[in-house]
């Protein structure tokens, strides 16, 4: 897989983090938006200007255009929350695995690929293990978009 192929696949898979958050969150989409934004602020995963409403989360989960794509803070926050849930949600497709790996590498300032790999929850590691090196390479390349 080339770096470009990985990045394209990861970007296509990122919305699945918001989709899974909406699927297994145990409250209304509006409250899930508040939780997502507050988590980003508290865990220092981003600084959203406002809390997304339920309609915004639904657009981010199934974007019809690039404008509807979820912001990085939201995907990082969703992965942070999903990785702690007892339901152990997993990505379902190769593209989703790429997106989750991309978000994981950007979740914290890891010092190495091994450190990022070792921090993965045991139940999530098998799904991301193969893709994490591609995500690390993409991160290390400091892509300018």
């Amino acid at each position: 897989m080339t770096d470009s192929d990985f990045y394209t696949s990861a970007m296509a898979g990122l919305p699945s983090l918001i989709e899974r958050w909406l699927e297994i969150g145990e409250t209304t989409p509006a409250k899930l938006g508040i939780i997502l934004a507050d988590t980003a602020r508290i865990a220092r995963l981003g600084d959203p200007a406002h809390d997304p409403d339920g309609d915004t989360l639904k657009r981010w989960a199934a974007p019809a255009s690039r404008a509807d794509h979820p912001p990085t803070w939201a995907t990082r926050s969703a992965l942070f929350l999903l990785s702690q849930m007892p339901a152990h949600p997993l990505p379902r497709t190769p593209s989703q695995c790429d997106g989750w790996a991309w978000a994981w590498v950007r979740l914290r300032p890891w010092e190495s690929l091994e450190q990022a790999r070792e921090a993965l929850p045991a139940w999530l590691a098998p799904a991301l293990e193969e893709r994490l090196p591609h995500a690390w390479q993409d991160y290390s390349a400091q892509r300018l978009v």
Side-chain angles (χ1 to χ4, degrees):
M1 171 179 283
T2 68
D3 291 346
S4 179
D5 291 341
F6 172 80
Y7 182 77
T8 300
S9 179
M11 293 303 101
L14 283 175
S16 69
L17 287 160
I18 306 300
E19 177 184 30
R20 295 292 284 155
W21 176 237
L22 284 170
E23 285 174 6
I24 64 175
E26 295 184 0
T27 189
T28 66
K31 288 181 183 175
L32 290 172
I34 293 168
I35 294 167
L36 199 66
D38 283 349
T39 298
R41 292 180 192 106
I42 292 167
R44 295 189 173 134
L45 302 172
D47 192 21
H50 62 280
D51 299 342
D53 59 23
D55 289 338
T56 299
L57 286 184
K58 290 174 187 173
R59 280 196 318 276
W60 289 349
S65 71
R66 184 153 173 81
D68 293 334
H69 204 73
T72 301
W73 71 261
T75 57
R76 290 171 61 193
S77 186
L79 182 57
F80 178 83
L81 292 163
L82 291 170
S83 70
Q84 299 177 57
M85 296 187 93
H88 295 176
L90 292 168
R92 297 176 177 142
T93 67
S95 180
Q96 290 176 4
C97 289
D98 290 342
W100 290 40
W102 188 92
W104 184 263
V105 165
R106 285 158 178 79
L107 193 61
R108 295 280 175 234
W110 313 113
E111 292 183 23
S112 67
L113 171 59
E114 284 309 311
Q115 186 184 42
R117 182 178 285 142
E118 289 171 7
L120 278 168
W123 55 268
L124 186 55
L128 303 187
E129 189 171 39
E130 182 182 315
R131 280 140 166 99
L132 215 54
H134 295 290
W136 185 260
Q137 174 58 36
D138 182 82
Y139 174 74
S140 299
Q142 299 297 312
R143 176 179 309 282
L144 297 175
V145 182

